[in-house]
Amino acid sequence: MRYTSARATGRTSAYDAARAATGDRRQRPRPTRPTRRAAALGTAVLTLALPLAACSSDGGGEDPAGGAGSSAAASAPSPSPTPTVDPDAYRHALTGALGPLDSALRAVDKADEGGSLDKALDAAATKADAAADALETARTPDNATTGNSQLALALRALGQDLKSAHGDGGRCATSPRVELGTAQGPKSVKEAGRTLTALGYDASLRLPRTEQAKHRRLANGSFVRDGSRGGLGRLTINNGTSSDAVVTLTRGERTAFSVYVRKGSEATVRSVNSGSYTVYFTTGEDWSAGKRSFTRGCSFEKFDDKANFRTVQVSGGTQYTVLKFTLNKVIGGNATTSQVPPGEFPS
């Protein structure tokens, strides 16, 4: 096999250019003919190089720069899938969280109004908070995650409503069952419970019974309390306020009488005994005979001046006191009033 230099094709070689510049006309030395061994070796090299070039040109071979990285990535272990929560396990957790609360709410439902009901409300509030704690840490199936969170939040609100329902238990205290009837917590618990129950997770609770706000009133001029009256004095009360009122007269620490006067009405008490009286009055809505107080929108006041009733014999007859009190402010009125703490208002 014979090789021809690539430089001799179509060009003047550097050797020929040098000869022309020096005027050397000697014959250019002829390249040495390769031996058969060298030719065979060259053929072997070309034979080995061609497959490598072919592999590079068609992209079928490994990329020297990125091939090793691609192989490593392909051999890395894939992450294990997150195990799903067993629905039955969640149902068990749900029952464990709501069971004690359900029992406490049933106790509220059965309790009589007063100290027994207040105690039951506080116990149920504690159970509601405990149930919320349990649900917040419970593992939930994917389809129950949102409903579980909603129920936990609703139980927190229910706990607050149960705590505040009974108030201070004093005068002008709305019935706890009326308070719960207007609270948002029980409504939220029902809604969240229905969502989970529809998915197959029983989250039902027996919420305590509630009551609508009442509007109890006595007849105008009715006596809430009436002591012994045998005098000649007369008291007229005009209620020009926007609420019903109860007016109470006391002598010292004893209540002489209390009379109910509806808004926009007037009532008269006769046969008032002689003496000096303090005049109290309370206004509001929904009169509770048991508490002897209104349950909503209450105010408690007294007149600063005493009401003095006298009966005297005069020539030709008897003189007695006739007084008139107006509960609302009027032009030309000469009576001032002061606020009274509810606990100091006479019953």
Side-chain angles (χ1 to χ4, degrees):
M1 182 175 184
R2 182 171 180 171
Y3 286 87
T4 303
S5 173
R7 295 178 180 271
T9 305
R11 302 184 181 180
T12 302
S13 67
Y15 178 81
D16 292 336
R19 287 182 62 216
T22 57
D24 186 1
R25 299 194 179 275
R26 290 177 296 176
Q27 186 176 1
R28 177 181 178 182
R30 302 179 69 179
T32 306
R33 182 185 298 274
T35 63
R36 289 182 178 275
R37 182 177 181 82
L41 181 59
T43 303
V45 172
L46 287 176
T47 303
L48 291 173
L50 285 174
L52 288 175
C55 290
S56 297
S57 63
D58 62 8
E62 293 181 355
D63 183 353
S70 300
S71 176
S75 63
S78 58
S80 301
T82 303
T84 58
V85 177
D86 181 14
D88 286 337
Y90 175 63
R91 292 187 183 97
H92 180 74
L94 195 60
T95 301
L98 299 183
L101 172 59
D102 190 68
S103 298
L105 292 175
R106 289 173 184 267
V108 171
D109 194 58
K110 297 177 181 179
D112 294 327
E113 192 162 333
S116 176
L117 179 56
D118 292 344
K119 183 178 180 180
L121 287 168
D122 288 337
T126 300
K127 296 297 183 182
D129 288 338
D133 290 340
L135 292 183
E136 287 173 350
T137 58
R139 298 179 64 241
T140 60
D142 291 342
N143 65 340
T145 300
T146 300
N148 184 79
S149 298
Q150 290 175 345
L151 182 56
L153 290 174
L155 291 173
R156 293 284 184 205
L158 176 64
Q160 291 298 321
D161 290 338
L162 291 169
K163 291 175 186 176
S164 61
H166 59 72
D168 58 9
R171 289 179 177 273
C172 201
T174 303
S175 167
R177 301 196 188 281
V178 173
E179 290 284 359
L180 287 176
T182 59
Q184 185 59 42
K187 297 181 179 65
S188 298
V189 168
K190 283 184 180 180
E191 182 179 349
R194 283 195 296 264
T195 299
L196 284 173
T197 301
L199 295 173
Y201 309 106
D202 185 12
S204 57
L205 286 169
R206 181 175 176 177
L207 295 170
R209 58 189 171 88
T210 60
E211 297 176 357
Q212 296 294 320
K214 298 179 180 178
H215 302 277
R216 293 167 290 185
R217 305 172 75 188
L218 298 181
N220 187 63
S222 298
F223 283 98
V224 175
R225 184 170 181 176
D226 191 12
S228 175
R229 290 179 294 115
L232 297 177
R234 189 167 66 201
L235 172 66
T236 298
I237 304 153
N238 183 279
N239 181 8
T241 71
S242 59
S243 301
D244 288 0
V246 171
V247 179
T248 300
L249 270 65
T250 64
R251 294 182 67 181
E253 295 182 356
R254 297 184 61 182
T255 298
F257 59 86
S258 297
V259 61
Y260 195 99
V261 187
R262 289 193 173 192
K263 61 183 179 180
S265 300
E266 186 176 275
T268 298
V269 180
R270 302 178 185 277
S271 305
V272 180
N273 295 329
S274 296
S276 181
Y277 298 83
T278 301
V279 181
Y280 295 86
F281 65 98
T282 177
T283 60
E285 296 181 42
D286 183 41
W287 179 259
S288 171
K291 294 182 177 180
R292 290 187 178 182
S293 174
F294 293 104
T295 65
R296 296 190 303 276
C298 306
S299 70
F300 302 91
E301 300 178 62
K302 71 175 182 177
F303 284 93
D304 295 326
D305 295 331
K306 298 281 189 177
N308 297 305
F309 290 87
R310 295 180 60 191
T311 301
V312 296
Q313 297 294 326
V314 296
S315 175
T318 303
Q319 288 185 341
Y320 56 89
T321 304
V322 175
L323 296 178
K324 183 173 184 178
F325 284 88
T326 301
L327 303 184
N328 54 296
K329 294 181 179 181
V330 295
I331 297 176
N334 58 0
T336 59
T337 62
S338 300
Q339 297 289 325
V340 176
E344 297 179 12
F345 195 88
S347 60

